[in-house]
Amino acid sequence: MRQSMGGENSSVQNAAQNNRSLQMMMPLYVGDNDSSYPTYLHVYDENAKDKETGEEKKETWLRICVLTDYIGAVELTFRMYESNQLDMRFYFSERSVANEFRTYIPSLKEKLKETDLNIAEVRIGSVGDKMMSEV
C-alpha cells in the first residue's frame, strides 16, 4: 500500500521514545467498487514503561477520515490499550447523521462482546458540538 501512493504517505519511527507512526492517503472502495472515497489513515503505536509500576504499556491508535458523497466527512478513531481495552470515537460533519448513527451503537457493542475486546468508551460527535457525547 505504501508504494501505491508514492510520496503521499509517511512512516516515522522513534526508537528513543519507543513509538511508531504511519500516515497515508488512499482511495476507499465501497460497494460495487465503482465508487471510491478519499481516505486518510493514521496509525500510531507506542510502548512505554509505567512510571509507577515499571510495567510495559502499549497503546495503539487508528484514525480513519473519509470524505463521502452523502453524509459528508466521517472520522473514526479507535484506541487499543492494556491488550484488550478499546475506546471508539465517531465524528460526523452532520449532527443528524451522528444522531442516526447512535441507534447502531447497542448492536455494535453486542457484536463486539463476541470478541476478546472490552469496550471502555464510545463517543459520538458532530461539527458544532462542544463535546462528544458518551454512548
Side-chain angles (χ1 to χ4, degrees):
M1 283 175 37
R2 218 178 266 171
Q3 294 172 348
S4 69
M5 298 306 288
E8 295 283 324
N9 61 67
S10 65
S11 178
V12 177
Q13 190 161 356
N14 186 336
Q17 293 182 358
N18 225 4
N19 60 45
R20 298 177 295 174
S21 177
L22 172 69
Q23 301 174 55
M24 70 174 63
M25 293 282 298
M26 60 183 281
L28 175 66
Y29 293 93
V30 179
D32 56 9
N33 287 337
D34 287 338
S35 301
S36 69
Y37 301 98
T39 304
Y40 168 79
L41 295 173
H42 180 209
V43 179
Y44 177 79
D45 187 56
E46 177 180 80
N47 291 315
K49 284 198 176 200
D50 186 294
K51 292 179 181 176
E52 294 177 13
T53 65
E55 185 178 318
E56 189 74 24
K57 299 271 184 168
K58 180 175 173 56
E59 187 170 304
T60 302
W61 290 75
L62 169 63
R63 182 173 170 240
I64 304 167
C65 300
V66 181
L67 184 58
T68 69
D69 290 335
Y70 301 106
I71 62 172
V74 177
E75 180 179 314
L76 313 170
T77 305
F78 304 94
R79 174 183 171 233
M80 175 81 91
Y81 59 101
E82 295 178 11
S83 77
N84 72 337
Q85 300 297 307
L86 179 66
D87 289 347
M88 299 184 292
R89 296 180 184 158
F90 306 96
Y91 194 74
F92 301 90
S93 58
E94 299 288 331
R95 183 172 285 146
S96 62
V97 175
N99 289 335
E100 184 175 338
F101 186 77
R102 279 180 173 77
T103 64
Y104 294 99
I105 296 301
S107 62
L108 176 63
K109 285 181 174 180
E110 193 63 34
K111 193 67 175 168
L112 287 171
K113 285 181 182 177
E114 298 171 11
T115 71
D116 292 333
L117 297 173
N118 181 34
I119 308 305
E121 179 181 85
V122 178
R123 292 188 177 270
I124 299 175
S126 63
V127 173
D129 293 344
K130 291 182 181 177
M131 200 160 83
M132 295 180 84
S133 61
E134 190 165 351
V135 181

